[in-house]
Amino acid sequence: MTGWLIALGIVLLLLGLLLMPLVMTVEHDDSQGHSFWKLSWLGISLCSSEKKGLFQRSPRKKSEKHRKKEKPKNAEKSRSRTPKQYWETFRDVTGILPRPLRMLWKGISIRGLEIMVQVGRFDAKECAVAYGMTNAMVYTSLGVLQSTMRVKVRRVFVQCAFGQEESQWTVRGKVHFCPLAAVAALFSFAIGYLMHET
C-alpha cells in the first residue's frame, strides 16, 4: 500500500511540474532603444538576452577526432537510404502531424500583451496612410492570434505622431507554454506513427 502511495505521489509531482508553464517575457521599446527577452520556468531564469540564466553557457566545440568519427557514419546513412525512402517517410510523418501540432498549439498562450505604436511621418498624407495601414495590420494580426490561441490583451494603442521621423513600436507580453502539451503531442505522434507502421 505504501509503495502505491509513493508511486501516486511521484506521478502527481511530475504532473504538477509538467503543468507549470515555461514563460517567455518579451519587451521591445523603440523610443528607449531597448529589447529584452527571458525564458523562465518556476521563476528560475533559464536563458535571456542579457546572457543570464541557468543554461546560458557557451557550447563546447567538438574535437577534431569526434568530427572525423562522425563523418563516415553520416556517409553510411546517406548511402543506405534512397530519395524515394526519404519521401515516403516524409509523407507518412506529414499525415500524422496535424493532431500533435494542434495539441502543441493548445499549450501556448499570450498574457499581458501591450502594443503601443506611434506612427510618424513628416508628410501629413503619408502619415495618415501609414496610420491606417498600421491600424489594419495590428488589429488583423491580433484578431488572427485571438482566434487561434488564448490571448489576454492589456492595452493596444495606435497613435498618429505627425512630424515624427519614424514610427516607434512598444511591445510587451508573456508567452506561456505548458510542457504537458508537448508530452501529449509527443505521445500522440508516437502512437500515430506506430499505428501507421503496423
Side-chain angles (χ1 to χ4, degrees):
M1 184 67 181
T2 309
W4 284 107
L5 287 173
I6 292 168
L8 182 65
I10 291 168
V11 167
L12 289 173
L13 179 65
L14 286 171
L15 188 64
L17 288 173
L18 288 172
L19 284 169
M20 291 292 148
L22 283 161
V23 180
M24 176 167 266
T25 307
V26 179
E27 290 180 14
H28 175 77
D29 192 346
D30 282 336
S31 61
Q32 296 178 0
H34 171 71
S35 287
F36 171 77
W37 62 268
K38 181 176 81 171
L39 182 66
S40 59
W41 187 58
L42 294 170
I44 302 164
S45 176
L46 301 177
C47 55
S48 72
S49 58
E50 296 176 340
K51 309 251 185 226
K52 293 177 182 176
L54 196 62
F55 299 117
Q56 203 89 26
R57 294 178 183 167
S58 58
R60 293 180 182 176
K61 292 182 178 178
K62 292 182 179 180
S63 62
E64 291 179 11
K65 290 179 181 178
H66 290 290
R67 288 179 187 170
K68 287 177 182 177
K69 286 179 182 177
E70 285 176 0
K71 284 179 182 177
K73 288 179 183 177
N74 292 336
E76 286 173 13
K77 285 179 183 177
S78 62
R79 286 177 195 162
S80 63
R81 299 196 70 166
T82 63
K84 187 179 178 182
Q85 289 173 328
Y86 278 118
W87 171 250
E88 286 173 359
T89 306
F90 175 75
R91 192 183 57 202
D92 294 345
V93 167
T94 51
I96 301 163
L97 276 178
R99 187 173 175 179
L101 285 176
R102 275 197 305 271
M103 294 174 111
L104 198 64
W105 190 253
K106 284 181 182 178
I108 302 171
S109 64
I110 300 172
R111 298 180 190 175
L113 181 64
E114 290 184 30
I115 303 171
M116 288 163 283
V117 190
Q118 288 187 331
V119 183
R121 296 288 188 280
F122 283 125
D123 183 53
K125 184 181 174 183
E126 286 181 9
C127 191
V129 170
Y131 174 73
M133 287 175 66
T134 305
N135 256 315
M137 184 183 71
V138 167
Y139 286 103
T140 303
S141 302
L142 195 58
V144 169
L145 273 177
Q146 287 178 325
S147 67
T148 56
M149 66 169 66
R150 291 170 305 214
V151 180
K152 290 185 179 177
V153 180
R154 186 176 292 165
R155 179 170 47 170
V156 178
F157 181 66
V158 182
Q159 181 184 24
C160 192
F162 173 65
Q164 189 173 286
E165 189 178 353
E166 291 180 353
S167 298
Q168 293 185 345
W169 289 72
T170 302
V171 181
R172 294 188 189 97
K174 292 184 178 182
V175 181
H176 289 242
F177 177 69
C178 182
L180 189 62
V183 173
L186 189 65
F187 272 111
S188 174
F189 179 78
I191 290 166
Y193 190 76
L194 288 171
M195 286 177 69
H196 186 77
E197 288 294 311
T198 55

